[in-house]
Structures are given as C-alpha cells and as structure tokens.
Amino acid sequence: MRIWTFDTTLRDGTQGEAVSFSVDDKFLIAQKLDELGIDYIEGGWPMSNPKDKEFFERARGYKFKHAKLTAFGATRFARNPVEQDANTLALLDAGTPVCSIFGKTWDLHVTRVLGVSLDENLTLISDTCRFLKQHGREVVYDAEHFFDGYVSNPDYALRTLEAAKQAGADVLCLCDTNGGTLTARLQEIVADVRKRFDGVIGIHCHNDCDLAVANTIAAVEQGATHVQGCMNGYGERCGNANLASVIALLEAKLGHTTVGSDKLVHLTSVCHYIAELANVPLEPNKPFVGRSAFAHKGGMHVNAVLKDSITYEHIKPSMVGNRQRVLLSDLSGRGNVVYKLEQHGLGDRLTDEAKRELLDRIKTMEYLGYELEAAEGTFELLVREALQPGAKFFEVVSFEVGTRMIGNRESQTTATVILRVNEAIHSATATGEGPMNALDLCLRQCLSPVYPVISNVRLTDYKVRVVDTKKGTAAKVRVLIEWSDHRRSWATVGVSDNVIEASWNALLDAIRLELMRLADKDESIEKAVEDYCWGV
Amino acid sequence: MRIWTFDTTLRDGTQGEAVSFSVDDKFLIAQKLDELGIDYIEGGWPMSNPKDKEFFERARGYKFKHAKLTAFGATRFARNPVEQDANTLALLDAGTPVCSIFGKTWDLHVTRVLGVSLDENLTLISDTCRFLKQHGREVVYDAEHFFDGYVSNPDYALRTLEAAKQAGADVLCLCDTNGGTLTARLQEIVADVRKRFDGVIGIHCHNDCDLAVANTIAAVEQGATHVQGCMNGYGERCGNANLASVIALLEAKLGHTTVGSDKLVHLTSVCHYIAELANVPLEPNKPFVGRSAFAHKGGMHVNAVLKDSITYEHIKPSMVGNRQRVLLSDLSGRGNVVYKLEQHGLGDRLTDEAKRELLDRIKTMEYLGYELEAAEGTFELLVREALQPGAKFFEVVSFEVGTRMIGNRESQTTATVILRVNEAIHSATATGEGPMNALDLCLRQCLSPVYPVISNVRLTDYKVRVVDTKKGTAAKVRVLIEWSDHRRSWATVGVSDNVIEASWNALLDAIRLELMRLADKDESIEKAVEDYCWGV
C-alpha cells in the first residue's frame, strides 16, 4: 500500500536539545530529503522563528523534484478573526503548497493552556482549516495530544477531528505529543478513528516510552496512511519517531511503498548527512543506518555470518545502503582479523610471521587505549606497514609548539618541525590557529615540495576524549581525527598523556597513510581499501 | 503482576561495538544492578572469555543482596558427553546459582552452523539442561532465534522448547536474536507458546527494527513474566532491548512489579553510572533516563509546563529519578531564562538591567559557538557574575605553554602562568602531562596559597569537538570539561580557534566558579545551585 511520508526534522527535530540548524543547513537537508523521495517536508514555523521565515523566503524560488514543502503553525488566536490573524497570515506568506496546523484535542489543554471554551476551540480549528483551504492550500491537521485527549474525553476529541474534516482538512493527523501512549491503547484508538472517518489518517509519535516507531507501525496496521517523524529520531525530549526506521520497516519488512526500493538505498547516507549538519554524531547502533547496525563482534557470530549472512542479519544491509562490518576486539577470535585482511585482498601478500606481528601490534595498541574499531585509517596503516615494511617516507627529528597569551589579547601559537626526508633535513616554522594547525602547516611546508599529493588531505572532524578520568588534568586522552582527500574519508587515532602528542600522532598517521597509498597502487588494494573505508 | 528482570549488560551488552568493561567495571556494575533490585545478573560467558572467567572467580566471595548471578554458555558440543564438555563444566566452575544456556531453535542454524541433525540438537539441549539441574542450578534456557525458527519450522521450534522443559529448565526464554521480528507477529508466536507451556516464559529482544522495547512489552502482554535486556540498550549491532525503558514501562505505566517503585527512583543514576564506566556518553534523548528526557526547549511548551507539568510530561520525572529541565536556546522566549533564575532563587536579586545584560552576554556567547545548554557551570558563572559584579579573585597577566619532542622520545610540556592576585604578582612554571595539566599545575601553584579551596576542584571529563569543520586543522573547537569538587559536578565550556585557549578558558571558569561559590554562601543560592547542577 502507498504510505505518505511527512518529515519534520526541520521543525520538530530542531526542538531537540542538541540540534540547531542554520538556514543553509535547512536548505541542504530539504534538498536531500527531496532526493530521498520524502512526500512532505515540514520546513518550520514561520511565525515563531525568524530563521524559519528566512528559510521559506529562500525556498520560494526553488523547485523540489518530488516533495511538497510544508509550513507549520497553530490554529488562529482566539481574539483574532482568521483573516487578520498574524500566525495564519504568516502561513500563507510562506508560500508553500501545504500547511500543517495544530489544534488542541485535550480538554485540559483547551481550558488550562489556551484558556478558551471547548466550543470556541472547535471554531478556531474550523476557521483556520477553512481559510487555508480557501487560499488553495493542502491542509494537514495535527491533532495535538490526540491520544491523551481521547482518553480524557473521547467525544470531544472526536469532535475536534470532525471540525477539521468538515472545514476541508486533507489529512487528520493523530499526535501522541507527550509520547506516553502504549502501543495496545494507541492501536485501539486509531482503529476507532479509522472506523469513523474516511480519507487520510496520519500518525505523529514521540519516543518518551521508547515506543515511537512501534506505535507508528501499529497505527499503519490500523489504517493510517500518512506517517510523520524526524530523520535519526531528533526532536524535543526523547525525540520524534525515527522516520528512517519507519520507512525501512514499511518498505523492507512490510511490503508497503513509501520512497520506493530504488531510493531506499540512499537511506543510510541521508541519515549520516543530516547528522553531520546537525553536528551530532549518529549513534552507531541506530537501527538500519548506524555504523554498527550490521557489525559483528563475537567470534562465533562472525563465523556464522561468513557461512551465511542470514544467520545474524534480518535484512540485506544493501537494501538500506548500509553494509556488513566485522569488528576487531578482545571478544573476537583471530578469524576477524583474517577476515579483515581478506576483505582487503591482502591475505596472500602477508607471511604468517607478518600476520602474527601485526596481531601483536594491534593487541599492544588496544592495551594502550587505542580504539582501532573507530579508526579504520590507523588500522589500514598498520596493514600497509606490514605489507610494505621498507617504506619510510620521512622521519621526525623533532617538533616544538608553544602557545602564549598576554592579558586579554588573542593567543598566539607557533610551531617548529624538523624532518629528515630522503637523507635531507627539512625544517619549517609556522604560526597557526591552535597547535594542531601550526604543526600541520609546518608538516606540509616540509613535505609538500617532495610529496605534493599531501595537499589533498584535509581534516574534517577532531574529537578528544579522556580515557582514564581518575587522574584529573593529567589523564590519558584519545584523539580521533577524521580526514578526507575528496575521494574518500578515514579516521586516525592517537593516544597519549599529552593531547598535543596524541594529535600529532594521528596527524602523522593520516599523512603517512596517504603516502603509503601512493606507493602501492595495486588496484586490488585500492579497491579493497575504498570498499573498506566506507565513508559516512 | 510480578515480572522478573534479567540483565545481560555484562554479557550481551559487551558485544556492542563501543562497549568494553574491565573486570573491575563489571564488578562495580553488578553491585549497582543488585542495588537497583535486578533479579538476575548475567555476568558473562566463562568459556569464551578469560575476563569473564576472572569476573566469576572474584564474584565467588561476594554476597549479592537480592540478585542471582548467572553464568552464560551454550549447549554442549556435539562430540562431547555432557559431563566432559568444557563449556558445560566451565558453567559449573563459575559457581553461580543460575546458568543460562542457549540452544538452537532454527533448523537452518542446526544444520548449517552447528552441522548436526535436528534430532541430535534436541539431545544437546536436554542433556545440558538436565546436567545443570542435577548439579543444583536454576536453568534459564535461551531459545536462540526462536521467532525465525518458529517461522521456518514451527513444530521443530516448539520441540526444542519441549526438550528443555522436559529436562527441567526453569525458564523458557524466547530470543529474537536477529531483531527482525515485527511486533504483531511476535505477539502471535508468544501467545502460541504461552498456550502450550506452563511455567515462566521469558523474552529476549534485539533492536534491529527499532522495536525491541515494544516487542518486550508485547510479550509481557501475552503472558511472558521474565524480561531480558541491557541497561541503556547496549548490545551487538543495534543493541538489546533497553532494560531501563522496559522496567520503567512495566512499573510506571503498566502497574507491574519489577524492582518496585522505591528502587525505581535510582534508575536514572544507575544508567548514567553504567554509561560512565562504559565510557560511552549516554544519549541525552534516552527515554526516561536521558538528560533531555524531560527537557523543554520551545517557548510555548515551557509556558504550558510551568502552568501544569502534565501538559507535556507523560509521567513525573522523579518516579525514575530524573528531573525537569528548561533549556536556553534561540527557540525559547525570555521566559526560559527567567525560569532558570527563579529556579536558582536569584530572580529578586537582579535588577532588570542586570537581567538584560546577562541575556545579551548569553546571546553573544551562543553566537560564538558556546553551548550553554551542555555547560551549566559556565551558565551559573554568568549568573553569579551578574549577581556579584565586584567579585574579582585574580587577573591573568599572561600564560605560555610549549610542547617539545625530539626523535622518538616522550614529549615534554612546560607552562608558565603569571597572575595578579590582590594587587600582588604570582607566577609559576610547571612541567605536566600535556598542556592542560601544565597550565592547571601553574594555576594551582599561583592560587592555592591565597585560595586553598581550589585543591578540591578536579577534572572528571574532557571533550573536544570541532564546531566548524570547513577550515581543516584551523577549525574552531569547543572544549567541554566536567569538574567535581567531591560534593557536586558541573561542566564548563570554552570556544576558540585554538584548543589551548578554549581549554584554558574552561579551566579558568571552573576555578572562578568555585571561588564565586565561596564568596557568596547565601544558603538559598547554595541550595538552588546544588539542585540546578544535577550531577549525572
């Protein structure tokens, strides 16, 4: 069955504590959602937020391929006639083909929060829906707190829907605004609404009970055909229903049609893209799209998966654009490492002794606090060093970096690096924005005359975490850096008592890896490595 | 109804990509789970992992108040008689009152992975259960892949349960090992099993479809009375059912008894404690226990919540030991900030002008990339500076910090700090493990003769993130530091192009805050601040 998808990442999603998008971000995300084949993109609440107003102004000139842009607002204020209500007029001004408006269902909210009579609230709903329909808009009516309202006063809750329906609303969307409704109860209530109303019934769930996705699916099973949610489950408090999971379940497990299977393969990359713009790392264990969603750690599971992936994978990861990964860890048998090497097509090129030595180095690094699972670049470098034992591109003679600040003036950071490259000494001094930048500039000054290719390597993310917090400011830190050379991305890791040394090591690893890759262009490695470093 | 809780954080949880516990960690977590009132604590798989074996050895001398420690293993190997099977003997050696053993349900797994006949598998199951019962153990039989097995061959799946039951298994636990079963289907299958078997039926779900909690609750509704899961939803791939959510739902929403309402109030702190030991930050939007689970950002929601918290909260946060928070952000009206001040009991002590100035400072800092929502310490300092405008404890004249490394020798970091304290110049030079440590040592050398109290302030976590990744190694970074003075914990934040400067600012803020607190001991502030800085 065709189920309509309504994404509210740009509106409800921005209510999440950690999430904040610039107007540029919002525009980029809307384009991505359009490419994914989302039906409705709720862009914001023009009345409540100048940023959202600006977004709609910018979007006016843009033609979406498939999606209908939607502006969000409330039913009119009680004291305003609808044609003079600033909120309603702002909705029209947004110039979108669709408006979604929320109205009160719950008698408690009508009287305590809105402060109007129950009958007056019905007029607010019907006035606003009718006015927007008269101006040619498709209207999605969001029945706020529908389930709590139904439990408190079922007749009144149904009358609010009736008011919207009579006034021409195209979709009656039932919202579990507080996220407190359990699945069995929600199912009964949706079934009752389905029985009483024809047309499109929508569902909008929040995750306060860890049930938002299950509730959305349960509503579809009772006849809802319009699903609202946020990509990655962003949203106020515990978030909205994760629309990515809902789409994957409807398409891949229940045989419904949303974006279509040809677009479903973009799901993983869209989720990671949005997480990047939100500047919130995507939880690795996110269903369907997380980096760990099809990752196998236990030695026994790995063995079974290598025999037949159906043994521990409920769908083919490629359906949603994700992939299988096999992890290195103290739980895994040696089989995992061998699998990694074979995945690289490098198994045959290593002697048994080189394999053993590699394994010892991995163990030692893990003991020191390196997390190789998160740093495939550093792991690839280990493999390549085992494969090309003679390859030495440069040696570090010394480095030095200092930061000085006088009074309230801006601080200054200067570094000096001395390297030995092909028996010649190269040195450089540079001032940078922070120690990493100063060291990086020196390194590139020394190396780029000899290896111009390193100018392609660019930092894309930098994270520091304390490994052992018991020692206060002297604690050991782990630095994880993500890099890109425009073709692919990878991460390197450094561990030290000293954040500068840890960062320096991760920086050196990234540069060395790029040089190693150039020195051995065996196509099978190139392919295996690209395959391996699946950029997210 | 009494529902039994079975926690597998220490076994299945450690299969999660990012999670790794030391033996010490495992022991601390087991004690915490015991205090929370968990019925069964699965400690590990003694046969597969030396760390788990060591854990059981250490636990042997320890008396849990309530929980029964459980050792995990597989049915015996096909080639071994059960009394000589190393896996089964390792289970006995663990010396726990309970053993959980998993056996194969799915015909595909029996023949393709285990490589034995369907009948032989039944013998493996009954032999192992019977042997452990003969040795006085309570036996939880985990029917691996039960739901996939039932779909593939229902008669055979039921026969495997029959084999365990006949051999004396105390619990028949149905596992959705691949996490691919949808709620409606799972419900039907549990109902069928419930009809055929008396005694305790258990449920063990994985979250690959974002449905693990819903499926667990659905199974309970069909008569399961034993629920398995991991705290915080750790576990392989997308994790296990989040036992914290399951417990909260059963207790607070469905009226069942698990740990009891008097212990339920520890749920939030237990989840945060385990996340700390796992060294994985707890997602703020985790249902029930996350820092944002009862956080309100939108100005309109905040206004309604202040009128009546039921309007946007589905339970009282205190039931699970969590609390309401009101966030500062560009979405919020001025009401949020006023609420914060009133929460501190400081509203009356600020003039309107001081409030406006404070608001301007907050806006400017947010524009610069500060995230005050995550750094309540820095926010408190802003408030206190508005409250105590004359308070100046010291001034920074200059600081300087340098790191030098020669060849492969360890790096050395030395800092010099010059401060003006009460018109006198204090200076110090120190060598530390990394620039933060060296600067911290200098600061304390300069200040502790004058303000001995600062020796209590200790760093507990240190995180760095790039704010704007477009500029490579010159990108702006945000440093978030968590501090503790043994009584409470708080976070401060610094933003700069230079990681050293950002860290320095966060360090100064922490020290200044401690001094500010001492200078104004008004008890109502003290109380509001403690209440405000809810340590996690």
Side-chain angles (χ1 to χ4, degrees), chain B residues 138-153:
Chain B
E138 183 177 338
V139 172
V140 176
Y141 176 69
D142 282 346
E144 198 197 16
H145 289 113
F146 183 77
F147 298 93
D148 295 308
Y150 184 99
V151 169
S152 164
N153 185 341

Side-chain angles (χ1 to χ4, degrees), chain A residues 320-488:
Chain A
V320 290
N322 206 335
R323 47 174 291 181
Q324 187 184 89
R325 290 167 63 235
V326 170
L327 306 177
L328 308 160
S329 89
D330 64 346
L331 278 185
S332 63
R334 189 177 286 229
N336 286 9
V337 176
V338 172
Y339 176 79
K340 284 267 179 200
L341 296 180
E342 279 163 6
Q343 212 184 19
H344 279 66
L346 305 174
D348 299 341
R349 290 185 44 187
L350 288 168
T351 62
D352 280 352
E353 204 202 311
K355 281 183 195 169
R356 219 172 5 253
E357 207 173 281
L358 174 62
L359 212 64
D360 286 345
R361 282 188 72 189
I362 291 171
K363 275 189 189 159
T364 308
M365 291 176 83
E366 287 192 335
Y367 177 78
L368 292 172
Y370 280 76
E371 245 179 35
L372 294 174
E373 288 167 0
E376 289 167 344
T378 295
F379 178 69
E380 188 191 334
L381 184 64
L382 287 178
V383 170
R384 284 183 173 274
E385 282 174 350
L387 210 67
Q388 298 154 256
K392 269 222 157 58
F393 301 94
F394 61 89
E395 255 176 280
V396 177
V397 178
S398 70
F399 80 81
E400 194 171 339
V401 59
T403 300
R404 173 196 313 245
M405 184 159 117
I406 296 175
N408 286 323
R409 271 176 290 167
E410 215 174 296
S411 64
Q412 280 200 317
T413 298
T414 304
T416 301
V417 169
I418 307 178
L419 303 182
R420 184 176 288 116
V421 190
N422 302 334
E423 299 307 311
I425 293 292
H426 294 241
S427 70
T429 293
T431 295
E433 304 195 53
M436 267 289 283
N437 183 229
L439 287 169
D440 187 31
L441 290 172
C442 291
L443 203 58
R444 287 166 196 269
Q445 274 183 43
C446 290
L447 289 175
S448 54
V450 194
Y451 307 114
V453 68
I454 63 159
S455 64
N456 294 333
V457 179
R458 201 174 64 83
L459 174 144
T460 56
D461 203 0
Y462 174 69
K463 285 177 203 150
V464 180
R465 257 198 86 100
V466 168
V467 181
D468 165 21
T469 61
K470 286 163 205 129
K471 290 171 71 190
T473 51
K476 195 184 266 189
V477 293
R478 179 170 48 226
V479 171
L480 188 82
I481 310 185
E482 281 172 32
W483 305 91
S484 163
D485 64 359
H486 306 299
R487 286 192 310 134
R488 62 197 151 188

Side-chain angles (χ1 to χ4, degrees), chain A residues 26 148 197 232 245 254 286 367 407 424 523:
Chain A
K26 293 185 87 157
D148 295 309
F197 293 90
N232 302 334
S245 294
L254 283 160
K286 272 277 186 247
Y367 177 78
E523 224 171 64

Side-chain angles (χ1 to χ4, degrees), chain A residues 17 279 292 397 407 411 465 501, chain B residues 17 279 292 407 411 465 501:
Chain A
E17 177 163 8
N279 201 16
S292 307
V397 178
S411 64
R465 257 198 86 100
E501 195 180 321
Chain B
E17 178 162 8
N279 201 16
S292 307
S411 65
R465 258 197 84 102
E501 196 179 322

Side-chain angles (χ1 to χ4, degrees), chain B residues 118-280:
Chain B
L118 295 183
D119 279 340
E120 205 173 348
N121 179 48
L122 298 178
T123 315
L124 303 184
I125 295 169
S126 56
D127 279 2
T128 318
C129 289
R130 188 171 302 113
F131 182 79
L132 292 170
K133 285 305 293 175
Q134 282 164 353
H135 286 80
R137 300 300 190 269
E138 183 177 338
V139 172
V140 176
Y141 176 69
D142 282 346
E144 198 197 16
H145 289 113
F146 183 77
F147 298 93
D148 295 308
Y150 184 99
V151 169
S152 164
N153 185 341
D155 285 344
Y156 184 70
L158 292 167
R159 281 171 63 205
T160 63
L161 292 186
E162 191 59 44
K165 182 79 180 169
Q166 295 273 342
D170 299 280
V171 177
L172 299 179
C173 184
L174 314 181
C175 303
D176 186 28
T177 309
N178 292 6
T181 306
L182 302 190
T183 314
R185 189 60 173 271
L186 179 132
Q187 225 162 355
E188 284 167 28
I189 297 175
V190 175
D192 187 36
V193 171
R194 178 73 289 174
K195 211 172 61 197
R196 292 164 187 270
F197 292 90
D198 56 10
V200 179
I201 304 291
I203 183 75
H204 174 112
C205 293
H206 282 260
N207 202 37
D208 298 75
C209 289
D210 227 343
L211 299 171
V213 169
N215 285 355
T216 305
I217 298 299
V220 170
E221 283 168 348
Q222 299 304 321
T225 53
H226 166 115
V227 290
Q228 299 197 351
C230 294
M231 299 310 268
N232 302 334
Y234 297 141
E236 184 150 37
R237 305 187 312 272
C238 307
N240 289 56
N242 184 346
L243 192 60
S245 295
V246 169
I247 288 172
L249 286 168
L250 293 175
E251 287 271 351
K253 306 279 298 188
L254 284 160
H256 294 298
T257 303
T258 58
V259 299
S261 60
D262 54 327
K263 294 198 167 161
L264 190 63
V265 300
H266 301 305
L267 193 68
T268 298
S269 73
V270 169
C271 288
H272 285 270
Y273 183 83
I274 293 174
E276 274 304 309
L277 290 184
N279 201 16
V280 176

Side-chain angles (χ1 to χ4, degrees), chain B residues 100-118:
Chain B
S100 56
I101 50 166
F102 77 94
K104 296 289 185 191
T105 314
W106 192 356
D107 48 10
L108 167 95
H109 263 262
V110 176
T111 52
R112 276 192 63 94
V113 178
L114 220 52
V116 302
S117 75
L118 295 183

Side-chain angles (χ1 to χ4, degrees), chain A residues 32-45:
Chain A
K32 261 301 188 235
L33 293 171
D34 184 37
E35 281 165 27
L36 179 62
I38 296 294
D39 298 307
Y40 299 85
I41 299 172
E42 192 168 62
W45 187 347

